[in-house]
Amino acid sequence: HFPVVRGKFILDNLLGAPPPPPPPNVPLLDETQVNGTLRQRMEQHRSNPVCASCHKTIDPMGFPLENFDAVGRWRVRDENATPLNTESKFYDGTVISGPVDLRDVILQRPEQVVRSFINNLFGYAIGRRPGYLDQPTVRVIEREAKANDYRMSSFIVGVVQSDAFRMRQADAVMADN
């Protein structure tokens, strides 16, 4: 199930495009099945159209990272000594065969990555997920950072100068009353 976890992480945290939650009563990937590789078991799981609708976006982000085991060590074979197949296709048809290709695909979408980074940083700073009312502020931070060659200081200054950050304590006091 690591490709799913890794793919979801990339979609959530790097691309800012979280997949929808699984529908109720989704059959779990049978971890006890010894026949077949993880990829084969995942393909069987995706044969269900309900599962396939989400996995078509999640799995292409996770399979290229299969060379890393659960603690981040590099490997070329799975736990059953079967050679790993880390190839996948991005939704636009781009073939991704490993971590370097995945990095290149992600970096072809710099606006998405920057916007996701700002939303994550901003959310951390204000203590909540940014909502739709915060998006004008996020866009201002993005414009300022771009004008300053995306320097880290531009992101930080943009966040701390925002009303949402400066008024955070006032929001908490108002909520208590």
Side-chain angles (χ1 to χ4, degrees), residues 1-23 42 54-66 90 102 106 112 116 120 129:
H1 74 284
F2 289 121
V4 175
V5 172
R6 291 174 178 143
K8 183 181 180 318
F9 179 86
I10 289 169
L11 289 167
D12 278 344
N13 297 294
L14 296 180
L15 297 177
M42 291 293 298
C54 292
H55 282 278
K56 71 180 177 185
T57 57
I58 299 170
D59 296 350
M61 300 285 107
F63 273 117
L65 299 174
E66 273 299 281
F90 196 59
L102 179 60
I106 291 170
Q112 253 183 299
S116 181
N120 288 329
R129 284 191 162 278

Side-chain angles (χ1 to χ4, degrees), residues 101-142:
D101 290 345
L102 179 60
R103 178 199 62 201
D104 293 345
V105 163
I106 291 170
L107 291 178
Q108 288 173 3
R109 291 145 184 84
E111 297 85 15
Q112 253 183 299
V113 174
V114 168
R115 180 71 54 95
S116 181
F117 173 73
I118 295 168
N119 273 297
N120 288 329
L121 180 67
F122 189 61
Y124 181 77
I126 63 174
R128 61 175 172 77
R129 284 191 162 278
Y132 71 93
L133 293 174
D134 297 308
Q135 291 312 301
T137 302
V138 169
R139 288 189 293 275
V140 167
I141 295 168
E142 184 177 6

Side-chain angles (χ1 to χ4, degrees), residues 112-176:
Q112 253 183 299
V113 174
V114 168
R115 180 71 54 95
S116 181
F117 173 73
I118 295 168
N119 273 297
N120 288 329
L121 180 67
F122 189 61
Y124 181 77
I126 63 174
R128 61 175 172 77
R129 284 191 162 278
Y132 71 93
L133 293 174
D134 297 308
Q135 291 312 301
T137 302
V138 169
R139 288 189 293 275
V140 167
I141 295 168
E142 184 177 6
R143 275 193 306 274
E144 292 295 319
K146 184 177 183 178
N148 290 302
D149 295 324
Y150 296 109
R151 296 177 87 148
M152 182 57 90
S153 58
S154 298
F155 295 109
I156 294 169
V157 168
V159 168
V160 299
Q161 288 181 341
S162 70
D163 287 343
F165 181 80
R166 292 189 344 233
M167 305 292 271
R168 195 179 81 204
Q169 293 243 326
D171 289 343
V173 171
M174 296 299 283
D176 290 339

Side-chain angles (χ1 to χ4, degrees), residues 11-31:
L11 289 167
D12 278 344
N13 297 294
L14 296 180
L15 297 177
N25 303 321
V26 167
L28 295 175
L29 181 64
D30 186 4
E31 297 278 320

Side-chain angles (χ1 to χ4, degrees), residues 28-95:
L28 295 175
L29 181 64
D30 186 4
E31 297 278 320
T32 61
Q33 180 183 357
V34 285
N35 296 333
T37 64
L38 174 63
R39 181 178 285 273
Q40 290 167 336
R41 294 192 319 259
M42 291 293 298
E43 286 172 2
Q44 183 179 14
H45 178 75
R46 282 193 311 265
S47 67
N48 179 338
V50 174
C51 300
S53 65
C54 292
H55 282 278
K56 71 180 177 185
T57 57
I58 299 170
D59 296 350
M61 300 285 107
F63 273 117
L65 299 174
E66 273 299 281
N67 285 116
F68 298 102
D69 70 7
V71 294
R73 289 181 300 225
W74 186 261
R75 64 190 182 144
V76 293
R77 297 183 180 279
D78 67 13
E79 57 279 350
N80 299 320
T82 305
L84 290 169
N85 176 1
T86 61
E87 190 170 291
S88 66
K89 279 190 180 178
F90 196 59
Y91 67 82
D92 66 1
T94 304
V95 174

